[in-house]
Amino acid sequence: MDEPADTGGARTAETRGQEPRRWEVHPPRPSVPRSFQNRLTIAFLGIVALTLALVAPVVVNRLDDFFRQQEQQALQAHAEATAAILERFIVDTVGTKAVVAEMNGKLELNPAVKSLLTTDRLLDLAANTLALADLTVEFGAARLDTDGVLVVNPDPGLTFVTLLTATATLDQRRDPVITPAHATVARTNMARDWGMEVTLSNPYTSRARTLAAITGLLLAMAMAAMLIAVIAASLIAHRFAQPIIRLTDASRRLAEGNLASRVATEDGTGTLEVQVLAEQWNTMAARLEESVGIIRRDRDLSRDFLADVSHELRTPIAATRTFIELLQGPAGLDPAARTEFLDASAVQLDRLDWLAQNLLELSKLDSGLVLLDLRPDDVRGTVESAVEQQRTMAERKGIALSVTLPDRPLRISHDSPRLGQVVGNLVGNAIKFTPRGGEVHVSAKREADGGVRIEVADSGAGIHPAELPRIFERFYRGSAANEARGTGSGLGLAIVKSIVDMHHGTISVESRVGHGTRFTVVLPRDPGEMASADPPARRQRRRKPPTTGSGVKVDDSSPTLSSARNGAPSP
Ligand code: ADP
């Protein structure tokens, strides 16, 4: 039971390398219970024991007082009864004669009375059957006191002491604690007023036995209470400790690297505070798992990105090196071959330059170094000029490039050169992937919420459904055999998406193989407003992989491959 609480031992501060953090567990000190459950049980037990220790003596004491009072009253009643009966016998015996008489200056008891008391064993009878106590009877003359009350003046010479000799019943004991009880009789007699004082002491009582029985019962009840307390306390403590044990287990699993570890909170056990703690812990664990996931994803993406960059740069460098080696050989002496190799080298160097520019652009966009210059301008101008820049290429390829723009200005807050880059890239791709005689159509219109929708549609080759979710990935190029696909860098759409993201817009694509592709960019009326309303969402969006991040929707409208629609995960 001690185990869970012991995990709270000192931790090592070791954080070197990738090693999971270790927890040092000190062995528990043997005499001190360290678990919450044990401590709670002992605390319960302690409280019950203390209560019993305080209450039991008081109860026994009060009962003793009560019984003593009862016995005292009983002894007094017995004394009075004994006195009354003795008087009755004495009066019957003496008749009109004196009970006590003075002889030779000394008080004497009537011989008949004396014989009744001693020889006839009346006193024995009274002590052993009626009083059940040692009996002392003192006789004396009676006289009126100043208040006119008849009082006895007991004579020490007329004292009769009879000890109790009757056998006690099972529960009776001599009880010296009881104070002796006195009963006085003072009577007027024709011969001489007389009186006697009856004293009962050291009686038989069942007080001690009753008290012992009650104390024993109390002791048994206390033991039973302690036992119940132990069972109840350990059950309650177990119930209290269970959520904490679960929390400790989950923490241990988390420390061991199981980031999916959570504490069960729905079973309703545990106090509200522990429940809240468990929920907070789960929230913390979920955040940790999410953060580690993001870091891992970022790390994987960076690794892939680096590999892709190396690969992309190697091709033009290798080609250039080959041309230089050729130029150093006999081919360098042939003017025609030299011109051809130098031209080819220039093309490769242009490609290298272009790649480097794109990479720089993408890394600046990604790292947040690029700040948009947002101005409330008319989008129509931006779209028109971006399209016009591509017109020469379209004409060269024999592609009909058209634009449809509304008559009224489409004024939204945007970074015109960057948006021009988006449209230019999309139109450039559309021309690139559309065969001669095809069409590329660009349009822009106002959205119901005040934003702007820009569409770039072509009648080109289309994109295979399996490729659709990946086209926004860096360095991703379509695999279908098409001469145009051999050219690009695979960075264009990644840059487009980054710029759209920075505008808090969305980009989606619909495509049907052999029929064409349509890219739709939707921009909000004021990206600055959205950024201040939702900065964390923006940050998060930047971290997600480009294919599945918010702001991208892929749609394959191919009638044969409808299963790959809408954001299918990257293969
Ligand atoms: P690239 O430099 O290769 O054009 P992009 O990132 O711009 O890189 O595009 C990625 C891939 O998306 C392209 O290689 C191509 O397969 C596909 N793609 C982009 N636009 C179109 C389009 N209009 N029609 C068909 N395929 C397209």
Side-chain angles (χ1 to χ4, degrees):
M1 267 209 304
D2 274 346
E3 196 192 330
D6 293 338
T7 55
R11 309 163 197 185
T12 57
E14 188 185 351
T15 49
R16 270 178 282 124
Q18 296 295 308
E19 292 256 319
R21 196 177 263 209
R22 278 189 289 110
W23 298 67
E24 265 180 23
V25 180
H26 290 302
R29 274 171 288 158
S31 55
V32 186
R34 288 167 62 84
S35 79
F36 175 66
Q37 200 166 335
N38 279 359
R39 285 185 178 181
L40 204 67
T41 307
I42 287 174
F44 253 70
L45 209 63
I47 290 170
V48 172
L50 190 72
T51 311
L52 287 172
L54 289 175
V55 168
V58 175
V59 170
V60 171
N61 214 293
R62 291 304 305 267
L63 278 173
D64 187 27
D65 280 356
F66 174 75
F67 289 137
R68 191 186 300 191
Q69 215 176 343
Q70 295 275 306
E71 293 296 347
Q72 197 70 60
Q73 283 171 1
L75 192 68
Q76 186 61 44
H78 285 173
E80 272 156 24
T82 308
I85 287 170
L86 287 179
E87 183 202 352
R88 182 82 260 140
F89 273 99
I90 291 167
V91 169
D92 285 352
T93 306
V94 295
T96 54
K97 292 185 186 136
V99 178
V100 289
E102 202 172 315
M103 274 189 204
N104 308 324
K106 202 170 126 203
L107 266 187
E108 291 285 345
L109 188 66
N110 186 310
V113 173
K114 197 170 180 177
S115 155
L116 172 76
L117 295 180
T118 54
T119 317
D120 296 346
R121 304 173 64 88
L122 182 62
L123 288 178
D124 262 1
L125 202 67
N128 288 315
T129 57
L130 184 61
L132 286 179
D134 293 340
L135 171 65
T136 305
V137 184
E138 292 172 274
F139 290 91
R143 56 175 178 75
L144 285 171
D145 69 359
T146 48
D147 297 332
V149 178
L150 200 62
V151 292
V152 190
N153 188 16
D155 190 318
L158 297 182
T159 301
F160 297 86
V161 177
T162 311
L163 296 177
L164 173 64
T165 52
T167 321
T169 58
L170 255 184
D171 63 341
Q172 283 180 332
R173 294 276 179 286
R174 288 290 200 143
D175 200 345
V177 175
I178 305 296
T179 319
H182 304 281
T184 309
V185 171
R187 292 287 173 258
T188 312
N189 185 280
M190 286 169 70
R192 184 178 185 129
D193 291 344
W194 69 283
M196 64 178 172
E197 189 169 286
V198 173
T199 302
L200 300 187
S201 60
N202 216 0
Y204 272 153
T205 70
S206 51
R207 185 180 68 89
R209 287 300 292 261
T210 312
L211 209 63
I214 288 176
T215 309
L217 197 70
L218 271 177
L219 221 63
M221 279 164 64
M223 300 295 279
M226 299 273 272
L227 195 73
I228 291 169
V230 169
I231 294 168
S234 81
L235 283 177
I236 292 169
H238 179 75
R239 202 174 155 76
F240 276 1
Q242 216 46 41
I244 296 174
I245 291 171
R246 281 205 298 265
L247 205 63
T248 313
D249 285 347
S251 303
R252 189 188 295 130
R253 287 197 300 274
L254 193 77
E256 285 165 1
N258 179 3
L259 298 179
S261 154
R262 298 287 182 278
V263 189
T265 51
E266 60 283 341
D267 66 349
T269 57
T271 58
L272 191 66
E273 291 84 351
V274 177
Q275 188 100 355
V276 171
L277 181 67
E279 278 162 15
Q280 294 280 1
W281 193 94
N282 283 347
T283 311
M284 181 275 296
R287 288 225 181 100
L288 186 69
E289 190 182 17
E290 192 191 355
S291 305
V292 171
I294 289 170
I295 291 167
R296 278 186 186 149
R297 251 194 328 266
D298 274 1
R299 187 195 58 196
D300 293 348
L301 281 175
S302 303
R303 205 168 40 207
D304 293 353
F305 183 61
L306 216 65
D308 288 342
V309 169
S310 315
H311 178 76
E312 289 297 323
L313 294 179
R314 246 185 35 215
T315 317
I317 290 172
T320 313
R321 190 198 292 140
T322 310
F323 292 139
I324 291 169
E325 282 168 6
L326 287 171
L327 283 171
Q328 284 170 337
L333 301 172
D334 175 11
R338 201 170 58 220
T339 311
E340 188 191 332
F341 291 153
L342 284 175
D343 284 351
S345 297
V347 168
Q348 292 304 327
L349 287 177
D350 277 352
R351 178 163 171 74
L352 258 181
D353 184 43
W354 181 68
L355 262 174
Q357 268 181 38
N358 273 325
L359 279 171
L360 195 65
E361 175 81 357
L362 197 60
S363 76
K364 278 200 289 188
L365 287 170
D366 260 12
S367 61
L369 287 175
V370 174
L371 290 176
L372 290 184
D373 182 14
L374 295 173
R375 289 162 197 254
D377 284 338
D378 189 354
V379 167
R380 292 181 305 172
T382 309
V383 172
E384 210 154 28
S385 89
V387 171
E388 283 319 309
Q389 282 178 23
Q390 304 291 329
R391 192 164 293 284
T392 320
M393 192 171 63
E395 280 167 1
R396 209 182 296 148
K397 266 196 84 177
I399 287 167
L401 178 60
S402 56
V403 193
T404 308
L405 296 169
D407 296 336
R408 303 182 62 183
L410 293 172
R411 203 172 291 279
I412 58 164
S413 185
H414 70 284
D415 184 323
S416 184
R418 295 277 170 204
L419 188 58
Q421 202 178 344
V422 168
V423 176
N425 245 316
L426 293 177
V427 175
N429 272 351
I431 294 169
K432 192 160 66 172
F433 294 105
T434 301
R436 185 168 286 279
E439 290 170 19
V440 172
H441 182 71
V442 182
S443 66
K445 61 179 178 187
R446 178 70 74 180
E447 285 280 272
D449 62 358
V452 163
R453 168 187 290 257
I454 301 167
E455 288 183 355
V456 178
D458 64 59
S459 61
I463 305 168
H464 194 275
E467 293 178 359
L468 263 182
R470 301 197 59 194
I471 59 170
F472 292 95
E473 279 179 30
R474 293 154 187 187
F475 293 113
Y476 181 77
R477 273 172 287 175
S479 57
N482 181 325
E483 59 173 34
R485 296 180 194 215
T487 56
S489 67
L491 293 175
L493 286 182
I495 293 174
V496 163
K497 188 188 169 304
S498 285
I499 296 173
V500 172
D501 273 358
M502 288 174 77
H503 278 86
H504 288 271
T506 58
I507 181 162
S508 58
V509 55
E510 299 160 62
S511 188
R512 206 169 149 198
V513 176
H515 287 82
T517 305
R518 182 204 312 272
F519 283 90
T520 305
V521 173
V522 178
L523 299 174
R525 193 172 47 81
D526 186 357
E529 226 173 54
M530 295 185 71
S532 55
D534 187 21
R538 162 97 186 98
R539 280 202 295 278
Q540 186 140 334
R541 190 156 48 231
R542 286 177 41 73
R543 285 204 187 96
K544 287 193 174 175
T547 47
T548 50
S550 63
V552 175
K553 182 187 164 217
V554 290
D555 197 351
D556 158 39
S557 25
S558 159
T560 49
L561 285 162
S562 55
S563 63
R565 291 179 137 219
N566 287 349
S570 305

